[in-house]
Each structure stands twice: as C-alpha cells, then as structure tokens.
Amino acid sequence: MLNSVKYKIVFGLLALFSFVETNAQCAMCRAVLESEEGQSAAQGINDGIVYLMALPYILVGGIGYLIYKKFNTSKK
C-alpha cells in the first residue's frame, strides 16, 4: 500500500516537472516567427500553443479523478 502511494507521488511529480520548459511550435511556425526582429511574438505563440495543448489533459485528468473518486468511495 505504501509503495503504491510512493509511486503515485513520484509519478505525479515527474509528470508535473517534465513539461516545464517545452517548445511546442511546429517547424513552419518556428521558421516564420524566427525571421522577424523581435522574439516577443514567437514567445507568445509558443505559450499559446502550450496552453492549448495542456488544457485538454487537465480536463481529462479531472474527469478521470472524479470517476475514480465516485467508484472508489465506501458506501455507508
């Protein structure tokens, strides 16, 4: 039981910190955005892509947690 909790905590921490610094731009977007002088537009596009990519995972994870919680509660 304790090992299972340890593995879940370690896996959760690894999952949390594994995408701290990511580059989510496709090759075409990167080539177009790197050709301009200021890199603020490229950074903004990259942040938007990462945000749009992470949101569905958070929603699915939340729904999965609610389902898990619903089926694993003890009935009184």
Side-chain angles (χ1 to χ4, degrees), residues 4 18 22 33-34 52-53 66:
S4 176
S18 66
T22 58
L33 291 172
E34 284 180 351
L52 289 172
M53 178 187 71
L66 291 174

Side-chain angles (χ1 to χ4, degrees), residues 4-67:
S4 176
V5 173
K6 281 185 184 179
Y7 286 126
K8 288 179 184 178
I9 291 172
V10 169
F11 178 73
L13 289 174
L14 287 175
L16 179 67
F17 293 116
S18 66
F19 64 91
V20 171
E21 186 66 33
T22 58
N23 292 319
Q25 292 176 350
C26 66
M28 297 296 288
C29 296
R30 182 176 296 275
V32 169
L33 291 172
E34 284 180 351
S35 65
E36 66 181 48
E37 291 292 321
Q39 292 296 316
S40 62
Q43 185 63 37
I45 295 291
N46 193 31
D47 291 343
I49 291 170
V50 170
Y51 173 74
L52 289 172
M53 178 187 71
L55 195 61
Y57 287 105
I58 293 169
L59 289 173
V60 169
I63 292 170
Y65 174 74
L66 291 174
I67 292 170

